[in-house]
Amino acid sequence: MATLAEFKTAEKAWWCPGCGDFGVLAALQKALVELGIEPENVVIVAGIGCSGRIGNYIYSYNFHTTHGRTMPVALGVKLANRNLTVIATGGDGDGYAIGMGHFLHAIRRNPDITYIVMDNHIYGLTKGQTSPTSDPGFKTKTTPQGNLERPVRPLQLAIAAGATFVAQGFSSNQKQLVRIFKEAITHKGFALVNTISPCVTFNRVNTYDFYREALVDLDEDPNYDPTDRVAAMRKLMETDELVTGIVYREPESIPFEEKLPGFRPEPIVSQDWRLSREEFERFLDAYR
Amino acid sequence: MATLAEFKTAEKAWWCPGCGDFGVLAALQKALVELGIEPENVVIVAGIGCSGRIGNYIYSYNFHTTHGRTMPVALGVKLANRNLTVIATGGDGDGYAIGMGHFLHAIRRNPDITYIVMDNHIYGLTKGQTSPTSDPGFKTKTTPQGNLERPVRPLQLAIAAGATFVAQGFSSNQKQLVRIFKEAITHKGFALVNTISPCVTFNRVNTYDFYREALVDLDEDPNYDPTDRVAAMRKLMETDELVTGIVYREPESIPFEEKLPGFRPEPIVSQDWRLSREEFERFLDAYR
Amino acid sequence: MRELVWKIGGEQGTGLDSTSDVFATVCNRLGYYIYAYKTFSSRIKGGHTNFTVRVSTRRVLATAAGVHVLVAMDQDSIDRLAGELVPGGLLIADSHFQPRAPEGVQMVTVPMTEIARDLLNPVYRNIAAIGASAALLGLPLQAFKDYLAEKFAAKGEQVVQGNWTALERGYSYTLEQAADKAFQLDPGDGQRRLIMTGNDAIALGAVAAGCRLVVAYPITPASEILENCARILPRFGGAAVQVEDELAAVAVCIGAGFAGARAMTATAGPGISLMQENIGLASMAEIPVVIVDVQRGGPSTGMPTKHEQSDLLALAYGGHGEGPRIVLAPGTAEQAFYDTVLAFNLADNYHCPVIIASDLGLGLWQQTVDSLDFDRVVIDRGPVVDPKELEAMGRDVFQRYAFTESGVSPRSLPGMKYGQYLATGVEHATDGKVKEDPANRTRMMQKRLNKIKKLEIGGQPVPGILYEGPARPEILLISYGSTFGVVAEAAELLREQGHRVATLQVRVIRPLPVEELRAAIGAAEKTFVVENNATGQLAFIMRAEGVEHPVESILKYDGTLFRPDEVAAAVLESYKGVPA
Amino acid sequence: MRELVWKIGGEQGTGLDSTSDVFATVCNRLGYYIYAYKTFSSRIKGGHTNFTVRVSTRRVLATAAGVHVLVAMDQDSIDRLAGELVPGGLLIADSHFQPRAPEGVQMVTVPMTEIARDLLNPVYRNIAAIGASAALLGLPLQAFKDYLAEKFAAKGEQVVQGNWTALERGYSYTLEQAADKAFQLDPGDGQRRLIMTGNDAIALGAVAAGCRLVVAYPITPASEILENCARILPRFGGAAVQVEDELAAVAVCIGAGFAGARAMTATAGPGISLMQENIGLASMAEIPVVIVDVQRGGPSTGMPTKHEQSDLLALAYGGHGEGPRIVLAPGTAEQAFYDTVLAFNLADNYHCPVIIASDLGLGLWQQTVDSLDFDRVVIDRGPVVDPKELEAMGRDVFQRYAFTESGVSPRSLPGMKYGQYLATGVEHATDGKVKEDPANRTRMMQKRLNKIKKLEIGGQPVPGILYEGPARPEILLISYGSTFGVVAEAAELLREQGHRVATLQVRVIRPLPVEELRAAIGAAEKTFVVENNATGQLAFIMRAEGVEHPVESILKYDGTLFRPDEVAAAVLESYKGVPA
Ligand SMILES: Cc1ncc(C[n+]2csc(CCOP(=O)(O)OP(=O)(O)O)c2C)c(N)n1
Ligand SMILES: Cc1ncc(C[n+]2csc(CCOP(=O)(O)OP(=O)(O)O)c2C)c(N)n1
Ligand code: SF4
Ligand code: SF4
Ligand SMILES: [Mg+2]
Ligand SMILES: [Mg+2]
């Protein structure tokens, strides 16, 4: 079984000191170790953004895609090799602005992929523009007089789209985050973990302190039932999503790849692709 | 004031006999007439699909865009000329598959645009493939063994995204549809009207008869309060969206273009664009 | 007669497509060579459509100059199409609509609607039309009966009998009226060849090549590739997945390619435009992916149901920045099949996107294929590191993007221990890590761009052109895609007029076979490039890539394919006033 | 001395960008010509960055061959950059990090960190560095004081005083140590010129041209255009809107263009790839739209912070199908301003997309601009029908896509009675209705493609090239974009060596000024095309478009701009072994 050291790369993480993404990286590595997954069986599919660098620091197979396309790339990896643990990661811009369509369609499809969004309510890599999760009134380089749009509420959208696993973590609550990641990875189907990951350089509003005050831990609420979809939605609407923990989970979730007709349990990559002469001829018969 | 005849074009609608889109066309023309809007002040922005032809049959300004891009095109029209009545139309594939991202971002932005989706749970124009609203198990050319994905529930998504007006109509219930269209058009902000519009050629499951049975009319329910967001969401979750009527409406909605700082009430197109010599020099001073 | 052209016209959505398919398939089974094409619009029901089937004793791959037998299901079809009849051609019309034939046209009316009404099913009208056609073309009725029996076997005896009755009544009624007028087609050779479209051939080629994931978004005229695969792939443990758009479609395939599977997407122009960014990702991260473009009228939505070859520049050079792409251009269904197998082998050997530039004519029209050879289908998975060697190396040793002589670096696949690396669309070092240093950048750019300068598979060069005819021709006709068959026939027509003609089909658009083109054009007195677009894109690329010899473009961009006689006429036109 | 080069290196995120900006702006105010550029990476904090400012008494628009004064804020900067110092060049280093200079390099250490510490604000370290630099370059301190006072006026007296103290202490400390070593720059002419980047100039040009909607998605190196406009446009009743992606960005602009406003989007390569489909829509539906591409290293994400000119093919021909696009290529901030005004006028007059091909060097580097002329800014809204005439016509008479001699058809705008029409990306008739008939298709394609064959505004042809130098040169250097300034200096260098050199800047990439290029190249003994890409895209396009004369490509694609001496050396290299 791999150790934490084995999941690290020689490269030093290049984020700004204090960036929330450090915590996401640490928790993810820890979760993978605790789950006993081997590094060579992990594929991190990352978007473009500060957050998208996360794959550079994990000793796994890593695919740094184009901005916004993590979801379809991750689906392709999973369909090609069902044995892999596929984790998609990226920023709030990557996932909820340019990637919004793919995000919701991935949910509808429900492949066995974990999606970790490192949500800092800002565009970090491009140096401080409004993100789809930015607060109303938030001032950035592109909204010097304040953001005018209603923020994306990813957890509500996910539930409305039929998600089978929806959670929210906070980069500085490592213990909970590791637990959530482990549950998300073991969930059979698509698992969204929106992870609050403050940007200390460009977002002076949604800070660690702000979240420490604001977030309510659902996991600690004995009356909260994360398998009740309607209740989950109500909770999210009432709290404006300022919660952490596992918000919703569908126990009977069947992943997309298990539903595909005729799709073999053996990964495509290790199958013998050649047709027999008989198969080939049977094929051609349809065109005779 | 324009008559119904004035809203018609010489072109004969080319849809299959019995297509639901005829009803949408008729109701929309009627609503425009009843609202006393002049044909030259209406812009129909249509997507690609059978539904996308609707603009061809309305004597208004019409823009037939590329597949999936009605939302941003309509926003551009509205921002250029705030005096226009801008109505975006298209199919379920156009709006909820390729156009999903734009759809939700349009809602967040809330410009004063009406969006009529002609939802037939199928791809009509490309001759019968699965659409994002297709039922699970529905057999089409691309899912010969049945659709595996959870259908898009546009009304829930819209509410989760912060929509200020959400309604559902049924092409064969003209009276209600005209009323909904009128309310949607007069709503100050983005108004979604998902309109059930059966495809008689490629969808033999979601037929007129099916809907006549299944749909519940919310407008007739005196206990239903369309200004209660949480209740609206619960209702949609419970009924699986098999409802018609105005599902949600936010009375205080302020359209995007009214929130833009400094944005003039006078349409851009009719403004004098020249800078004065003084303005120009003041401009340059920042670079001296 | 060695060839007859049959055409049927009527309303869209009335089953004429399957009528034409029955007619073409039976003729194919009789041992004729078939080329079957249609005119249609985006409208689903209503509006005119027509189907043409060339039935010949030799291979034909181009639209016909005239029609021998025209079947009209409405007056509109007569008005539109009767002018295409050759002298002596026959018009068959459903008597139900009281057809009026233009002056000088011989018409046979057949009570098709009545026949169908008697049999209580309106689709039999079309079957009666086939019976009538068989009579006038001198084709054996039994072959049609056999095929219909086979086709409707699952629907039960009664349906088969109904079809037979309609067929026979159409046949005998017509013979009674016009036995004297009937054509007599030379008998077919009875060989059971294949009949398929380019879209069929590409789906088959993909499955044969080991592709187990076909991921696409519906679009005319490419949808059939996804639809075919949705039927076929589950039988082989694979999957065809319709996704939310083309941005997703190509990205899923790239993800699968990274993980080691063979994946393909198929689209038309609008989808290609949307895929440009991710095609660049595959170029940059050196990931195999196969993309099919069935070209149609552009730009924008353009003419979705009309033929064009106007995406070449977009396919070969359309993305931002500069990365390797291979572009193949099959001209026949047979070539499309083998090119698809080749595309996967090239992708896996060159680690880059491989695009198959098909077109509507090739994609949708049915044609006879002599045979497809199982033994020619070889799967060459290209350079992949040996997992054992990797393990022996230990951690952090393997260099995914090692500089090699060929520019191709063996890859590891997820799951292989110590093969871990970063695949990224950002510039990177040999280990995959982001690196923007100038010297590394220059070398990496050269590595990627140079690796596709010459293509070979299994030590064999991939032919860039197909040349036919004399070595020093008077006239050289250059084609690609479905103009291939047109140009072959145009060459015949010109030869019949005493010209020394050669033809050259460009099989690879990128890397363009510059030397071969130079040599061939250099040896010809006059060269014509025949293309279905407005700007002469192949000629443009030829000049740009360094084929400096002057060529003349013959262009057509009205949504229809060239007819061979049009090409021949354009060639002769260019000689006018010029001393021979 | 007539020119000095100043450079500062340190860690990203430590405020060096604004330090360099202060230095460059003050020098500009002193009446020097400035060219200021930087090296940076995507990383936000940490990692090396450096800024170079050329300060000259004549116009300079290219990176410098050597550095006179290097300010090092860390040892890393010394190690990386000291090699760039010219003989006699000076290194200024913060004494805090105990700098070690390489052998032979003269170093002056200044206690910058201590000065800042005394003043209780770490940013004063950079101000102290400026003071030290002023001392060694022989620049008047007062000018810096004035500028800092102006810049920090809003922040209060105390901040201004703090800045002044840091500045003075850096200055006097340095003078004491190294008065003898200081350079003496010839005095500036005191003229107050402008200093701006290409991105600044484009934002200004757009507002001046009447653009009231700028809609974009952030991307390096184009974001500043949106950000600038977000500050400026609200003052003029317009809006800058950040949307969800580039697909949306260009679509919003097209919607606005249809409705009669002037709208612009700005992006880099990845965004251009995503916009291809909708650029085709604007071509097809004949809608004005202006698109800026600030090119960076490609393909895919490529090198987001590095310069390149590799999108030309994508810009000019990258979409599926064939439609009109105009592509302008400014080479200086001044040209960028006027080209942006021109772009809007062309879009409104030719009813098609107009693309401004900028590049990272032009977009981000600051340069001195002599002045921008208010009177040269003319808004020409192009052919729009008169609403009164429309009303007089009545319903269904107006033909939006009427065939005209120029190919451009006057348009109506929503709101005009009886101007109603259908704008569509599908092929259409003159009234806009969908029509796929072959004859109409051919004519419509010709209408759209031919209208941009020659460009003119207000009866004046739009110059396609800018030629400087003798009419029959020995050497002709062709450039575009920000290689313009490089080539101008390279030509000087070559002239100094006795060569007869001319330069030609290609100002319009599409429609390419083929005749002008032919004439110029035909008259030159030898022609070089200087480009920052790997495949020689301009030369490729020139050959393709019919400029048949041989040219040599000088290419660089390592993410940095050419230095003039590199270009000169490459030219001379090509003469080696060739008898003159
Ligand atoms: C197609 C495209 N558009 C724009 C960009 C520029 N870009 C890079 S990252 C980014 C957004 C970063 O924000 P986010 O996704 O929230 O990630 P963060 O940096 O905050 O972690 C953008 C717009 C790009 N790389 N590609
Ligand atoms: C980029 C792009 N991809 C695909 C298509 C092909 N296409 C045209 S309409 C359509 C979907 C039609 O379905 P829908 O939007 O539900 O409209 P309907 O025909 O059912 O009214 C598709 C996939 C296209 N025109 N452009
Ligand atoms: S800019 Fe923000 S998100 Fe990016 S590395 Fe720095 S702190 Fe993290
Ligand atoms: S195919 Fe369906 S959606 Fe299209 S016109 Fe016919 S009935 Fe309507
Ligand atoms: Mg972010
Ligand atoms: Mg539909």
Side-chain angles (χ1 to χ4, degrees), chain D residues 363-437:
Chain D
L364 295 188
W365 306 161
Q366 287 175 301
Q367 55 182 258
T368 299
V369 172
D370 276 312
S371 73
L372 295 176
D373 184 356
F374 178 74
D375 296 312
R376 267 185 68 189
V377 177
V378 175
I379 295 178
D380 179 344
R381 292 179 71 158
V384 176
V385 284
D386 178 344
K388 292 205 200 70
E389 273 176 39
L390 264 183
E391 280 213 48
M393 277 180 194
R395 249 188 91 131
D396 295 327
V397 176
F398 172 64
Q399 304 288 302
R400 165 67 186 92
Y401 299 104
F403 294 114
T404 60
E405 212 179 312
S406 67
V408 181
S409 332
R411 59 183 184 139
S412 59
L413 300 178
M416 294 182 180
K417 190 164 181 174
Y418 299 146
Q420 283 96 321
Y421 72 102
L422 173 69
T424 170
V426 180
E427 192 55 274
H428 43 263
T430 52
D431 60 2
K433 294 211 182 86
V434 170
K435 186 168 186 182
E436 300 191 324
D437 131 87

Side-chain angles (χ1 to χ4, degrees), chain A residues 3-133:
Chain A
T3 63
L4 198 57
E6 285 172 57
F7 264 106
K8 293 186 176 163
T9 62
E11 213 175 334
K12 214 184 131 249
W14 94 186
W15 295 305
C16 306
C19 176
D21 295 352
F22 283 103
V24 182
L25 171 63
L28 179 55
Q29 287 170 323
K30 193 135 189 274
L32 290 167
V33 170
E34 292 184 10
L35 289 171
I37 298 170
E38 295 301 327
E40 64 268 21
N41 292 328
V42 175
V43 177
I44 310 281
V45 178
I48 304 292
C50 292
S51 44
R53 306 279 307 199
I54 192 169
N56 301 30
Y57 314 126
I58 302 181
Y59 186 64
S60 62
Y61 282 87
N62 290 301
F63 195 164
H64 197 204
T65 68
T66 42
H67 190 42
R69 314 297 164 207
T70 53
M71 295 286 92
V73 170
L75 175 63
V77 173
K78 187 72 194 179
L79 292 179
N81 187 342
R82 300 173 63 168
N83 287 351
L84 299 171
T85 298
V86 181
I87 297 167
T89 60
D92 39 329
D94 190 81
Y96 305 142
I98 192 169
M100 173 66 99
H102 304 311
F103 165 55
L104 292 168
H105 289 292
I107 289 177
R108 300 201 306 114
R109 215 166 273 136
N110 199 37
D112 191 1
I113 289 170
T114 299
Y115 185 26
I116 300 171
V117 178
M118 292 141 91
D119 186 359
N120 55 13
H121 293 25
I122 189 88
Y123 281 20
L125 190 65
T126 47
K127 303 197 173 173
Q129 297 86 6
T130 305
S131 118
T133 53

Side-chain angles (χ1 to χ4, degrees), chain C residues 329-378:
Chain C
T332 66
E334 186 183 342
Q335 290 178 348
F337 174 84
Y338 293 116
D339 275 8
T340 306
V341 177
L342 174 65
F344 282 101
N345 288 336
L346 287 171
D348 277 356
N349 276 276
Y350 288 90
H351 299 164
C352 74
V354 180
I355 300 173
I356 299 174
S358 179
D359 55 43
L360 186 142
L362 174 59
L364 295 188
W365 306 160
Q366 288 175 301
Q367 55 181 258
T368 299
V369 172
D370 276 314
S371 73
L372 295 175
D373 183 356
F374 177 73
D375 296 312
R376 267 185 68 189
V377 178
V378 176

Side-chain angles (χ1 to χ4, degrees), chain D residues 156-362:
Chain D
E157 184 63 16
Q158 216 184 326
V159 173
V160 172
Q161 278 298 345
N163 274 283
W164 281 9
T165 312
L167 187 75
E168 281 163 353
R169 288 185 57 185
Y171 184 82
S172 51
Y173 184 92
T174 307
L175 266 198
E176 277 162 34
Q177 305 298 307
D180 55 322
K181 295 177 185 153
F183 290 96
Q184 202 51 52
L185 191 58
D186 292 352
D189 63 7
Q191 289 246 13
R192 265 281 190 114
R193 299 186 188 83
L194 304 166
I195 178 167
M196 59 175 65
T197 64
N199 282 351
D200 293 331
I202 287 173
L204 290 186
V207 178
C211 170
R212 290 293 172 269
L213 288 170
V214 171
V215 184
Y217 187 69
I219 190 164
T220 307
S223 301
E224 292 81 8
I225 297 176
L226 176 65
E227 292 164 5
N228 282 336
C229 291
R231 283 193 315 271
I232 301 170
L233 278 177
R235 280 162 39 202
F236 297 97
V241 183
Q242 175 185 329
V243 288
E244 59 269 27
D245 60 18
E246 292 87 350
L247 299 161
V250 73
V252 176
C253 294
I254 292 170
F258 166 76
R262 289 188 157 187
M264 178 173 89
T265 186
T267 188
I272 289 295
S273 284
L274 291 173
M275 290 180 188
Q276 292 289 8
E277 190 194 11
N278 277 319
I279 295 175
L281 172 64
S283 290
M284 193 75 169
E286 304 201 40
I287 292 171
V289 62
V290 173
I291 298 158
V292 180
D293 178 20
V294 190
Q295 297 170 82
R296 67 185 208 186
S300 189
T301 309
M303 303 210 297
T305 60
K306 301 289 178 282
H307 170 81
E308 204 166 89
Q309 303 180 304
S310 56
D311 297 348
L312 287 202
L313 284 165
L315 297 177
Y317 314 101
H320 71 279
E322 299 163 305
R325 300 172 171 198
I326 295 170
V327 183
L328 308 178
T332 67
E334 186 184 342
Q335 291 178 347
F337 174 84
Y338 294 116
D339 275 9
T340 305
V341 178
L342 175 64
F344 282 100
N345 288 336
L346 286 171
D348 277 357
N349 276 276
Y350 289 89
H351 299 163
C352 74
V354 180
I355 300 172
I356 299 175
S358 179
D359 54 44
L360 186 141
L362 174 60

